[in-house]
Amino acid sequence: MNFTRWSARLPGTQRRAARGTEGSVPAARGEYGQQLEHPGSETADADVAAAPALEDFSVRELLGRLPGLVALVYGPDHRIAYVNDAYAAAFGPRPAGATVADTCPEAEDLGLLPLMDQVLRSGKPRTVKSRRTQDGGSYTVTCLPVDSPHIDGGVLVHATDVTDHAEAAERLRASERRHRETAVTLQRSLLPQELEQPDDLRIAATYQPGGTDAAVGGDWYDVITLGAGRTALVIGDVMGRGVRAAAVMGQLRTAVRAYARLDLPPHEVLQLLDGLAAEIDASQIATCVYAIHDPSEGKLVYASAGHLPILVRDEDGTVRRAEDPTGPPLGTGGWLHASGSIALPPGSTAVLYTDGLVERRREDIDEGVAALARALSGASGTPQVVCDRLLRALGVTAEHDDDVAVLVVQHPARQGSDAELFHNAALELLGGVEAAPRARAFASGVLSSWRFPVELRDLGVLATSELVANSLQHGTPPMRLRLRRTDRRLIIEVTDGDDHLPRRRRAETEDEAGRGISIIATIASSWGSRRTPGGGKAVWCEFALPNKPAKSRPAEN
């Protein structure tokens, strides 16, 4: 770009001598105009040869007609040489010779002064994008070095009004924020607001959504008391983002709670979920671990649908990883899931988690699981303390790029007076009809030794008699009576080798049998039945101890 025609007017310079003779430029323009008027004339070749040079056009006129905002400054203190009409219309006229710092407040808003200093030092163009001024406009500005013998350090400033684009982008960001807030609200509302607290376990859970730049996923967890002291633990992850993933997660969680009431083995629960997930949304894939803890067995029986392995920390700090079986994610179909088990003795801690805790870019996920195992080996304290320590150790912050859900389960080693509140007693039911009176005598003696009130002891003996009688009449050997007390309840359970589950029915007045389960349902706090591994069934009932209601605690969301 040649600034000859108007740079001579800059303060401190002299007008450059006109090039050629007077009238040469108008003549050239006239000839050029004639060529345009008569494109078919015989002198076309001559006219092309006589086309005007770039210097024949007025730079001031060209810059003045540009829709972009243009200003020319010179010198180390950036004095104004020229602003075009678009610049003056946007920010007002600027006096020639004045410094930008004194007369151009927009320069400070746009960050132009340091930008122009960089251009003068480097001799290279610089650009800043979508800077906002105080009046609310947004501009993208480019500063170009001007090389001329008549200008001491010139900079050409060109600004483009991008206010419409900036406002559209802000509306889009606001819409995304609202969408994310809606998804987070839905996600939190679908997670358990209070965690059920089993008698034999201590449990805490944490859910943390991804940072503002991360879409909310479908991470979830749940704790479900199954009765007879058994507890189901669930954690899962819907492989999607936003409201849709949260909605699918909510449906899966509701289904898990419904299936859990059937008291099925873990692999059967996942088998049902697999079919349901495909019906809910075939495009959404979900992973899940479903585990059951039975205090009489001291282990977790679990099934996994494509989820990460459960980690268990023993009392001495050793960390074990649940191995196979692991099936494909839910919704894929065509797979028969299987159950496995991992020991959970007193004093141990189990951790169930989603991939957001251990997955990192440019790092194998097994390395993340190994890092979690190292962090767990040194983590002690209450379940909530362990949750917090694991999040810190794995570098999970408010700006984490993925959702994280963690479920920590502790099987405490009880000692002293606390241990006195937990007892177990069992009796093998051998023989025929004489097994019933032996069972009643056994229950009476055990309940007396546990210092239960007379009324509760009598109810326990009655429930034992009805359960044993039902098993003797409808079940097959081997038969077993088990009594268990915790700090909150008395549990009576009878197992036998027949897998036919009893049901409560209305007995007619003339019926001589069929009232056992109805009696149990009337006198006990709750009752239920389930099939046992290898065939057979267990029928149980519970009595809440006086002033010891079942507890729950708020979930740490």
Side-chain angles (χ1 to χ4, degrees):
M1 184 177 292
N2 192 312
F3 298 96
T4 302
R5 288 193 174 276
W6 50 272
S7 62
R9 296 185 177 86
L10 297 179
T13 63
Q14 297 179 352
R15 183 182 299 274
R16 184 180 179 186
R19 182 179 64 85
T21 61
E22 288 187 13
S24 59
V25 172
R29 288 178 178 171
E31 293 172 0
Y32 187 62
Q34 291 174 4
Q35 178 191 354
L36 294 176
E37 293 174 4
H38 306 285
S41 65
E42 296 179 357
T43 59
D45 293 340
D47 290 339
V48 172
L54 184 61
E55 289 82 357
D56 295 323
F57 294 93
S58 170
V59 174
R60 177 182 292 272
E61 182 180 358
L62 292 176
L63 294 180
R65 292 179 178 271
L66 288 177
L69 287 63
V70 176
L72 181 71
V73 301
Y74 64 95
D77 51 355
H78 309 304
R79 294 185 176 276
I80 298 172
Y82 167 79
V83 297
N84 70 348
D85 294 342
Y87 193 102
F91 301 122
R94 297 292 182 256
T99 63
V100 170
D102 293 336
T103 59
C104 300
E106 70 277 0
E108 183 175 355
D109 297 339
L110 300 173
L112 294 186
L113 292 175
L115 194 68
M116 291 187 291
D117 289 338
Q118 293 177 22
V119 171
L120 288 181
R121 288 194 302 268
S122 66
K124 297 180 179 179
R126 293 287 187 271
T127 299
V128 292
K129 295 182 178 180
S130 195
R131 294 286 181 88
R132 185 182 295 273
T133 59
Q134 291 184 357
D135 63 0
S138 296
Y139 299 87
T140 292
V141 184
T142 298
C143 294
L144 301 163
V146 175
D147 184 14
S148 173
H150 304 288
I151 299 177
D152 181 17
V155 176
L156 181 70
V157 179
H158 179 269
T160 303
D161 189 342
V162 294
T163 303
D164 291 343
H165 296 282
E167 291 177 350
E170 181 58 34
R171 287 194 297 271
L172 178 60
R173 286 191 292 268
S175 176
E176 291 175 345
R177 285 194 298 270
R178 289 192 298 270
H179 183 82
R180 183 180 184 279
E181 290 169 0
T182 300
V184 170
T185 301
L186 177 61
Q187 178 91 348
R188 290 191 182 280
S189 67
L190 293 175
L191 290 173
Q193 303 305 302
E194 288 188 342
L195 284 179
E196 298 182 28
Q197 291 294 317
D199 299 357
D200 296 271
L201 302 174
R202 296 173 183 164
I203 300 177
T206 295
Y207 168 74
Q208 180 169 309
T212 54
D213 294 333
V216 177
D219 294 17
W220 58 287
Y221 56 83
D222 208 348
V223 178
I224 309 166
T225 53
L226 302 177
R230 302 166 73 250
T231 305
L233 309 166
V234 196
I235 196 162
D237 185 2
V238 177
M239 302 301 180
R241 290 292 183 266
V243 173
R244 185 177 181 182
V248 172
M249 176 274 289
Q251 295 178 77
L252 290 178
R253 177 176 174 253
T254 301
V256 168
R257 293 193 72 87
Y259 294 147
R261 298 307 175 194
L262 301 176
D263 213 340
L264 300 172
H267 64 276
E268 292 189 23
V269 172
L270 290 192
Q271 208 72 51
L272 293 172
L273 279 179
D274 185 41
L276 180 65
E279 294 176 7
I280 292 174
D281 190 339
S283 65
Q284 295 278 7
I285 302 299
T287 64
C288 180
V289 167
Y290 184 89
I292 295 177
H293 175 257
D294 190 329
S296 63
E297 297 178 357
K299 62 183 179 181
L300 285 177
V301 179
Y302 68 91
S304 175
H307 205 80
L308 295 166
I310 300 172
L311 299 182
V312 174
R313 177 188 184 273
D314 291 328
E315 198 168 11
D316 62 359
T318 303
V319 176
R320 294 175 285 113
R321 180 186 301 194
E323 302 297 339
D324 290 339
T326 297
L330 300 175
T332 55
W335 181 268
L336 291 177
H337 291 274
S339 295
S341 65
I342 185 170
L344 189 70
S348 60
T349 300
V351 176
L352 293 77
Y353 52 95
T354 57
D355 59 1
L357 182 65
V358 296
E359 190 172 29
R360 300 293 182 270
R361 292 173 183 168
R362 298 181 297 275
E363 183 178 295
D364 189 86
I365 196 168
D366 287 336
E367 297 178 13
V369 175
L372 175 60
R374 291 192 296 270
L376 178 60
S377 66
S380 59
T382 66
Q384 188 56 53
V385 170
V386 173
C387 270
D388 297 339
R389 288 181 175 177
L390 294 181
L391 291 177
R392 288 196 300 270
L394 274 295
V396 177
T397 65
E399 297 304 317
H400 196 58
D401 61 359
D402 195 5
D403 287 21
V404 175
V406 182
L407 184 64
V408 175
V409 181
Q410 288 184 346
H411 185 188
R414 305 185 188 277
Q415 299 177 349
S417 59
D418 190 28
E420 290 299 318
L421 299 177
F422 292 80
H423 292 286
N424 290 279
L427 174 68
E428 299 295 333
L429 299 175
L430 303 176
V433 293
E434 68 273 12
R438 285 204 308 271
R440 287 193 294 270
F442 175 78
S444 179
V446 169
L447 299 182
S448 296
S449 68
W450 289 349
R451 300 178 182 178
F452 282 148
V454 175
E455 181 181 359
L456 180 58
R457 185 175 66 231
D458 291 343
L459 290 175
V461 172
L462 176 58
T464 299
S465 178
E466 294 296 335
L467 290 178
V468 171
N470 186 76
S471 182
L472 290 172
Q473 182 175 359
H474 302 289
T476 58
M479 301 178 185
R480 192 168 188 259
L481 167 65
R482 186 173 69 182
L483 304 178
R484 175 173 173 78
R485 74 151 293 169
T486 70
D487 59 341
R488 305 177 198 171
R489 72 195 81 231
L490 165 66
I491 302 169
I492 303 172
E493 184 177 73
V494 175
T495 60
D496 64 57
D498 184 85
D499 63 359
H500 177 74
L501 299 180
R503 60 184 179 87
R504 185 180 181 182
R505 64 183 180 88
R506 183 185 299 275
E508 300 298 335
T509 306
E510 63 275 11
D511 290 344
E512 297 181 358
R515 293 183 174 85
I517 295 300
S518 294
I519 293 174
I520 295 295
T522 301
I523 66 175
S525 303
S526 61
W527 77 279
S529 61
R530 71 179 187 279
R531 290 186 172 88
T532 54
K537 66 176 178 295
V539 185
W540 56 268
C541 66
E542 295 181 352
F543 294 88
L545 300 187
N547 302 321
K548 291 290 184 179
K551 298 178 182 178
S552 62
R553 53 158 296 190
E556 301 292 340
N557 289 345

